[in-house]
Amino acid sequence: MKKIIAANWKMNPKTVKEAKILFQKVSKIKSRKTDIVIAPPFVYIPFLKSKNVKIGSQDVFIQNAGPYTGEVSPSMLKSVGVKYVIVGHSERRLGRGESNELINKKIKSSLESGLKVIAVVGETERNSDEFWKFLKKQIKESLRGVKRKYAKNLIIAYEPVWAISTSKNRKKASPQDIFEATIFIRRTLLDIFGRKTALATRILYGGSVEPQNAKDFLEIEGISGALVGGSSLDAEKFKKIIKAAEQV
Ligand code: PGA
């Protein structure tokens, strides 16, 4: 199974000119064992094309057309060449108040439209064992009713919110923290989809993935790639992370 290194550019860079320059540098990289995904802001999507890179979006709406001012639908994204959508990032869950229920609808409508979904899950804090309950509820509610036949297009990104580079009081997640979470996530997927699908679903890690630590994260058993924020805005850093994925 191929690894996935996905770039979440968030609301960056500031102009389409800068976006094109960054994209051009990154899309020169050829990878054999890794799918490279770049998720730029919506408006830049039509300007960024490459054989080596798949385009993702950072969000999506739940309907395909209609009176929904400001929204962008799965079918619109497909029509401009988008292959992946990131759904449920903490900056949307916490920053935009998106509930598990809304995320669930976004996941289902995207999968039904033929997009691959990177569904982001992760606890806000890890102070006590309570967070396992939180994580289970988040996963179960976000994936409720997703048909098994779509599960091959579902990728989970485990992003402990406390480990994201821009979090206040950021702490680094240890390989042990991540390993335990992947086992827990897979067990939850097993409850939802059964064993075969649970074993086949790729789980990415996200949260301060940088060139110097990428290999340590990518070597964790059960991890099939990374969702990269800050380091994806620097072409050299991002290339190094892809290189690390190719070596693992
Ligand atoms: P980071 O962001 O790599 O800057 O920690 C990850 C993310 O928020 O997706």
Side-chain angles (χ1 to χ4, degrees):
M1 212 175 356
K2 272 192 162 187
K3 292 213 158 38
I4 297 176
I5 300 293
N8 175 8
W9 282 4
K10 307 189 179 179
M11 202 172 73
N12 298 292
K14 283 196 183 124
T15 64
V16 69
K17 195 171 164 202
E18 288 170 74
K20 281 183 185 168
I21 294 169
L22 175 59
F23 187 80
Q24 237 173 26
K25 286 186 192 156
V26 174
S27 58
K28 288 212 182 85
I29 318 167
K30 290 217 175 76
S31 55
R32 280 186 310 112
K33 297 196 287 186
T34 314
D35 280 331
I36 305 169
V37 179
I38 293 185
F42 285 136
V43 288
Y44 297 155
I45 289 172
F47 299 95
L48 310 177
K49 296 226 169 352
S50 156
K51 280 202 300 289
N52 302 332
V53 170
K54 307 223 165 42
I55 297 295
S57 77
Q58 300 172 18
D59 190 26
V60 64
F61 192 56
I62 59 177
Q63 302 287 349
N64 271 323
Y68 306 102
T69 304
E71 300 291 358
V72 178
S73 77
S75 57
M76 289 171 187
L77 292 171
K78 256 200 110 184
S79 75
V80 292
V82 167
K83 299 279 188 270
Y84 288 78
V85 295
I86 299 171
V87 180
H89 191 278
S90 58
E91 283 153 19
R92 297 214 59 90
R93 287 179 184 274
L94 304 169
R96 291 285 167 272
E98 291 196 0
S99 62
N100 289 337
E101 197 190 349
L102 177 62
I103 286 157
N104 175 251
K105 287 183 184 157
K106 290 185 172 188
I107 291 173
K108 286 198 279 200
S109 62
S110 300
L111 289 171
E112 281 158 22
S113 299
L115 292 162
K116 291 186 199 296
V117 170
I118 300 177
V120 189
V121 298
E123 73 283 359
T124 329
E125 293 178 83
R126 244 199 209 211
N127 291 338
S128 66
D129 274 351
E130 281 297 295
F131 77 88
W132 293 117
K133 254 194 240 159
F134 172 89
L135 197 55
K136 185 181 240 171
K137 184 167 186 281
Q138 199 183 46
I139 298 167
K140 289 215 160 163
E141 292 184 359
S142 301
L143 299 181
R144 180 167 291 154
V146 170
K147 295 200 180 91
R148 196 181 297 148
K149 67 173 178 186
Y150 293 125
K152 63 175 187 316
N153 283 337
L154 177 71
I155 297 126
I156 305 291
Y158 172 60
E159 280 205 347
V161 181
W162 48 271
I164 294 177
S165 67
T166 47
S167 302
K168 272 191 235 140
N169 313 319
R170 174 182 67 137
K171 284 193 256 120
K172 291 246 165 167
S174 72
Q176 185 66 22
D177 292 332
I178 300 165
F179 178 62
E180 284 170 8
T182 49
I183 291 179
F184 185 82
I185 291 168
R186 222 176 279 287
R187 211 182 287 147
T188 310
L189 292 174
L190 194 143
D191 289 348
I192 304 170
F193 296 116
R195 188 182 152 81
K196 201 169 152 215
T197 301
L199 291 177
T201 303
R202 279 176 288 187
I203 301 176
L204 316 182
Y205 169 70
S208 302
V209 177
E210 291 155 4
Q212 57 275 23
N213 61 25
K215 198 153 177 279
D216 298 340
F217 291 137
L218 293 166
E219 274 174 354
I220 299 168
E221 205 185 320
I223 287 292
S224 303
L227 180 56
V228 187
S231 293
S232 72
L233 296 170
D234 178 320
E236 288 315 307
K237 286 188 182 171
F238 193 60
K239 280 190 212 170
K240 283 185 187 151
I241 293 171
I242 293 165
K243 232 185 188 166
E246 290 283 287
Q247 284 164 1
V248 167

